[in-house]
């Protein structure tokens, strides 16, 4: 299988499949409590991937397990668990738009904790319209639904948590395959989510016989498409493609989520919310182009350096 085909397939997974997960979460929440829904998604997906890894798991070091556990907490407890909890009172399209701030948080983390990728000034300036866009979406959501601002704040925290997990995964020198690493992270995150579900009383009051067919189908979609396929694709892309290019999924997901939410669920979407979404998308595109320009410049400089060395040797 060619590398180009793998890249296209992986991007299709995080663009389209992850875009549909917001819609699936809304359906799942109709008869499955939020933390339990995300626990099922993560743990079942993790077990499938660990089984696919076979005997590789026996050679994983304690340090690798510790790092995978930390990433699993950021990705699935801090982001997915909080996301599902917030989506009980926030439309799926709005949730996707707020989580489109993930590239902003990645930039800020790189600024505060600089690694090998230091943000450029133009990318930092691009944060401004994005945050204004999120503010518009939040304001319109509160105005239309008459709800507290708290769910939107929780969604921003979920975006920050996912960003922290992404930066940590990017900086890890992983010696494990994308399938095994994803399985480890999903399993740890899912186990912790089950514990949270039990502590909050969700499991005690849950009755499997009350689960609607649509919620069961949504849970299976989240496990297979969202976790098994989508997260393996995400981890593989982080190892093989620049982070800025991978993060472009954040401005495709809201489009998919809004279309599904509006057409299928009849969720409201006003012109002001559309303006806010546009500002978020503009910011992400500017950041992406700035980082691509910088990476291209760095590559050209490296190529010139290699050519100069070759000339000096001849």
């Amino acid at each position: 299988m060619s590398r180009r085909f793998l890249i296209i397939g992986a991007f299709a997974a995080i663009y389209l499949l992850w875009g549909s997960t917001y819609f699936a979460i809304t359906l799942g929440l109709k008869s499955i409590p939020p933390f339990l829904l995300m626990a099922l998604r993560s743990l079942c997906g993790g077990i499938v991937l660990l089984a696919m890894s076979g005997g590789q798991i026996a050679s994983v070091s304690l340090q690798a397990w510790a790092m995978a556990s930390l990433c699993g907490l950021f990705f699935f407890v801090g982001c997915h668990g909080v996301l599902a909890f917030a989506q009980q009172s926030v439309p799926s399209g709005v949730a996707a738009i707020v989580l489109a701030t993930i590239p902003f948080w990645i930039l800020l983390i790189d600024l505060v904790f600089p690694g090998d990728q230091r943000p450029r000034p133009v990318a930092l300036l691009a944060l401004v319209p994005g945050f204004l866009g999120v503010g518009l979406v939040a304001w319109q959501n509160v105005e239309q639904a008459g709800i507290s601002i708290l769910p939107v704040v929780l969604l921003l925290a979920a975006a920050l948590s996912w960003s922290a997990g992404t930066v940590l995964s990017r900086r890890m020198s992983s010696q494990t395959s994308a399938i095994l690493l994803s399985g480890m992270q999903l399993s740890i995150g899912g186990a912790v989510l089950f514990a949270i579900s039990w502590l909050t009383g969700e499991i005690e009051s849950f009755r499997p016989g009350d689960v609607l067919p649509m919620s069961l189908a949504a849970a299976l979609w989240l496990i297979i498409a969202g976790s098994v396929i989508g997260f393996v694709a995400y981890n593989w892309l982080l190892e093989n493609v620049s982070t800025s290019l991978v993060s472009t999924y954040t401005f495709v997901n809201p489009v998919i989520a809004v279309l599904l939410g509006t057409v299928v669920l009849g969720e409201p979407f006003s012109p002001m919310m559309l303006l806010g979404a546009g500002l978020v998308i503009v910011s992400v595109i500017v950041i992406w182009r700035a980082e691509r320009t910088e990476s291209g410049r760095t590559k050209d400089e490296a190529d010139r350096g290699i050519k100069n060395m070759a000339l000096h040797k001849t």
Side-chain angles (χ1 to χ4, degrees):
M1 187 177 296
S2 69
R3 177 181 170 82
R4 177 176 295 181
F5 181 80
L6 286 172
I7 291 176
I8 292 173
F11 271 108
I14 65 172
Y15 278 1
L16 304 178
L17 299 185
W18 272 2
S20 69
T21 56
Y22 296 91
F23 171 72
I25 289 172
T26 298
L27 296 182
L29 289 173
K30 291 186 179 298
S31 58
I32 304 175
F35 295 117
L36 181 58
L37 177 64
M38 292 296 101
L40 290 169
R41 170 185 180 176
S42 299
L43 189 59
C44 292
I47 291 172
V48 170
L49 294 175
L50 290 179
M52 290 171 60
S53 302
Q56 295 181 42
I57 192 172
S59 60
V60 178
S61 66
L62 288 177
Q63 182 182 7
W65 269 110
M67 295 300 287
S69 299
L70 187 56
C71 287
L73 292 175
F74 279 130
F75 283 134
F76 306 114
V77 180
C79 182
H80 284 180
V82 174
L83 167 64
F85 181 81
Q87 267 194 245
Q88 293 178 109
S89 55
V90 174
S92 58
V94 173
I97 292 168
V98 176
L99 260 70
T101 58
I102 285 172
F104 310 152
W105 297 119
I106 291 176
L107 275 175
L108 290 177
I109 292 171
D110 283 333
L111 181 66
V112 177
F113 304 102
D116 57 347
Q117 299 186 23
R118 182 177 291 276
R120 298 184 66 207
V122 64
L124 293 174
L125 288 175
L127 297 178
V128 177
F131 278 120
L132 289 175
V134 172
L136 277 175
V137 171
W139 173 66
Q140 284 291 293
N141 186 49
V142 171
E143 284 286 312
Q144 288 188 4
I147 63 172
S148 167
I149 194 69
L150 179 61
V152 178
V153 174
L154 289 175
L155 288 171
L156 287 171
L160 175 59
S161 184
W162 184 274
S163 302
T166 298
V167 172
L168 187 61
S169 291
R170 185 187 67 198
R171 295 181 181 181
M172 285 173 56
S173 54
S174 176
Q175 298 178 350
T176 59
S177 68
I179 291 177
L180 177 55
L181 179 61
S182 300
M184 293 161 61
Q185 293 171 344
L186 282 161
S187 299
I188 295 295
V192 174
L193 283 166
F194 262 115
I196 294 173
S197 181
W198 175 70
L199 290 172
T200 56
E202 286 185 351
I203 293 179
E204 183 179 355
S205 59
F206 178 67
R207 299 291 181 270
D210 295 336
V211 176
L212 299 173
M214 71 171 65
S215 294
L216 180 59
L220 291 173
W221 180 257
L222 289 169
I223 292 168
I224 297 171
S227 295
V228 174
I229 300 175
F231 199 65
V232 169
Y234 185 70
N235 267 329
W236 185 85
L237 285 171
L238 286 177
E239 295 175 1
N240 292 273
V241 182
S242 68
T243 307
S244 58
L245 191 57
V246 177
S247 68
T248 57
Y249 79 90
T250 58
F251 60 81
V252 178
N253 285 177
V255 176
I256 305 297
V258 169
L259 284 175
L260 288 173
T262 303
V263 174
V264 181
L265 299 177
E267 293 178 348
F269 199 76
S270 68
M272 289 298 289
M273 289 169 67
L274 183 63
L275 174 60
L279 289 172
V280 171
I281 292 172
V282 166
S283 282
V284 176
I285 292 175
V286 171
I287 293 168
W288 170 58
R289 289 183 62 87
E291 292 193 2
R292 284 200 65 188
T293 301
E294 179 64 20
S295 62
R297 184 181 296 112
T298 302
K299 184 178 183 299
D300 290 341
E301 291 174 355
D303 290 342
R304 284 196 297 270
I306 293 173
K307 289 179 181 178
N308 290 335
M309 289 176 62
L311 287 174
H312 285 309
K313 288 181 180 180
T314 57

